[in-house]
Amino acid sequence: MLWLLVHDQYALLGRGGVAREVWKLYFHWYGVLRHGAFPSGDHLWQYPPGAGAVLLSPALLPGLTYFQAFVVITLFTDALVTLVLAYAGTRRGRSLRGAALWIAGLPLLWHIPLVRYDVQVTAFAVIALLTMSRSPRMGGVFAALGALVKVWPALALLGTPRGRGTRQAWTAAVVTVLTLLAVVAVLFRNPFDFLRQQGGRGVQIESLGGTVLMFARHAGWSGTTRYQYGAVEFVGPHVHAVAVCSLALTAVAFALLLLWRLRARRWTPATPYDAALTAVLLFTVTSRVISPQYMIWLVGLAAVCLTTRHTTQRPVAWLILAATAISAVVYPAFYGYVISSTWRGCLLMLARNGLLTTAAIVSFVRLWRSGRAVPRRENSDATVGNQEQVPVTLPRRRSMAS
């Protein structure tokens, strides 16, 4: 990955365009943040206030340029995630497949992970999930820190078992978010300006809706593409309707996850991991934007799932790896074909998004089935403490707590 980054001027590696986001855009934001303000009126700034801390982190290495320091910190974070997954895999009843998946899966994206801050975001989610069983409060804190950087790590709390642990995790998360937002509001100007930039987002060409519009162009649709809001998006008739459909599908995904949460009767040590992967998959597939770096999230969560032998998501992990490999082919190598909606670009996006959609469906179905009630005799072999537990069936109640 480092070799590719050094030689990223090659045509198949994007002619330097992949790394430009750090040394140009991130460095610009870094200069604004150093003066005690978040970017204001910048339609490219669409991130929660916690992202500012990540973009300021290269200042911790003053002997290097901003670009060099950013890459070094990303490499350190990558190593930290690997060590955490490996440590989790050495515990009783666990597996090192998770660490192996992370080590093998990340380079499938070529050098993109080194010049995006999604590795850092994924690290918060990975640590949150792997610490949740021993310390729900710390799990909640790490999930909150990740959510302050890029929202989606909050989904790590979705699968926490009902009871005291859930209350502790969610309370710690809420307290952490409110406290840090208050601190940021005091120390920085314009911390919530990012909220104004989200509403104008359209349909990115790599999204599921974008794939539909790509084929529509071959059927005579008159729309075209334009670079806006930090991505290449479709513009033209019916684009707004496709965006609304994406938002509606996101709402449906949320409703399905809530229904699973209310109906689930059986929790295993893998359920919090599986639920987080399912949730992020569903929200990714239904999003108006699917950038290549989103695959880093999915690889990291799939790796967490594979640290335990109780996971139901092994087939999903393979589908995610296949989709990740195709994403690297799409961007940057053949991105021009995607922008132009050629048949080659259409087929590449159909393959990538088809794999992601299949993974989301399979993931949810397997999560739903794993939550069904089982005979109580399975509980007789349950262990306690920090050892792995066999699935536990929750009794039916007239009113169910969240």
Side-chain angles (χ1 to χ4, degrees):
M1 292 167 70
L2 279 172
W3 187 91
L4 292 171
L5 184 59
V6 172
H7 298 83
D8 73 336
Q9 295 298 323
Y10 292 150
L12 288 179
L13 298 179
R15 298 188 184 278
V18 175
R20 189 180 299 122
E21 188 151 331
V22 173
W23 61 260
K24 187 175 182 180
L25 184 59
Y26 288 9
F27 184 64
H28 166 68
W29 287 337
Y30 170 78
V32 176
L33 290 163
R34 284 187 64 186
H35 290 88
F38 283 87
S40 178
D42 186 346
H43 66 274
L44 297 180
W45 180 257
Q46 303 162 9
Y47 311 108
V54 177
L55 297 179
L56 286 171
S57 62
L60 299 174
L61 303 174
L64 303 175
T65 66
Y66 183 84
F67 181 84
Q68 292 170 340
F70 185 91
V71 173
V72 168
I73 290 173
T74 306
L75 285 169
F76 173 81
T77 309
D78 175 17
L80 176 64
V81 173
T82 304
L83 289 173
V84 170
L85 290 168
Y87 176 76
T90 59
R91 292 163 55 191
R92 181 179 178 182
R94 298 280 183 148
S95 171
L96 288 171
R97 291 189 184 96
L101 180 74
W102 176 257
I103 293 170
L106 207 60
L108 291 178
L109 290 168
W110 296 6
H111 55 305
I112 293 174
L114 297 182
V115 285
R116 298 293 186 273
Y117 71 86
D118 295 87
V119 172
Q120 288 88 320
V121 179
T122 304
F124 283 115
V126 169
I127 295 173
L129 287 168
L130 293 177
T131 58
M132 198 78 69
S133 60
R134 293 191 173 188
S135 176
R137 287 192 179 91
M138 288 305 301
V141 169
F142 280 109
L145 292 174
L148 285 170
V149 178
K150 220 168 192 179
V151 180
W152 70 263
L155 296 172
L157 301 175
L158 177 68
T160 52
R162 300 188 188 110
R164 181 182 179 187
T166 290
R167 292 192 296 271
Q168 290 177 338
W170 292 6
T171 301
V174 170
V175 171
T176 301
V177 167
L178 294 178
T179 302
L180 292 181
L181 285 179
V183 171
V184 169
V186 171
L187 298 180
F188 290 85
R189 300 184 302 276
N190 312 315
F192 305 111
D193 189 77
F194 75 99
L195 295 172
R196 294 193 301 165
Q197 312 305 329
Q198 285 289 344
R201 298 287 315 241
V203 178
Q204 189 210 26
I205 58 176
E206 295 176 69
S207 66
L208 190 61
T211 303
V212 173
L213 292 175
M214 287 178 69
F215 281 95
R217 292 180 79 176
H218 289 278
W221 177 63
S222 60
T224 184
T225 57
R226 179 190 302 166
Y227 182 81
Q228 55 187 15
Y229 293 96
V232 180
E233 298 181 346
F234 279 109
V235 292
H238 312 301
V239 172
H240 179 70
V242 173
V244 171
C245 287
S246 296
L247 293 173
L249 288 174
T250 300
V252 171
F254 178 79
L256 288 174
L257 291 168
L258 181 61
L259 182 63
W260 165 80
R261 174 80 194 183
L262 295 174
R263 296 290 298 275
R265 290 291 177 274
R266 180 175 176 248
W267 255 259
T268 76
T271 299
Y273 311 160
D274 295 352
L277 177 59
T278 300
V280 175
L281 262 172
L282 287 173
F283 284 117
T284 298
V285 168
T286 60
S287 174
R288 294 171 292 173
V289 179
I290 305 179
S291 298
Q293 59 266 28
Y294 290 14
M295 303 306 301
I296 300 172
W297 315 346
L298 300 176
V299 170
L301 294 177
V304 173
C305 291
L306 294 189
T307 59
T308 174
R309 297 170 185 174
H310 289 290
T311 184
T312 62
Q313 304 295 307
R314 290 190 186 91
V316 177
W318 287 108
L319 290 170
I320 288 172
L321 283 182
T324 301
I326 296 177
S327 292
V329 176
V330 170
Y331 181 84
F334 295 114
Y335 204 53
Y337 296 118
V338 178
I339 295 175
S340 302
S341 297
T342 66
W343 280 113
R344 183 180 297 182
C346 289
L347 293 176
L348 281 171
M349 293 315 308
L350 180 64
R352 200 282 300 273
N353 288 340
L355 285 169
L356 283 180
T357 303
T358 302
I361 295 172
V362 172
S363 181
F364 181 76
V365 169
R366 295 177 74 88
L367 177 70
W368 182 275
R369 290 176 177 173
S370 70
R372 292 178 178 176
V374 293
R376 286 184 174 275
R377 64 175 180 272
E378 291 193 14
N379 296 342
S380 59
D381 297 326
T383 57
V384 295
N386 294 329
Q387 297 179 349
E388 198 78 356
Q389 296 179 353
V390 299
V392 176
T393 303
L394 298 178
R396 290 187 176 273
R397 300 176 181 174
R398 294 183 179 179
S399 60
M400 294 174 288
S402 62

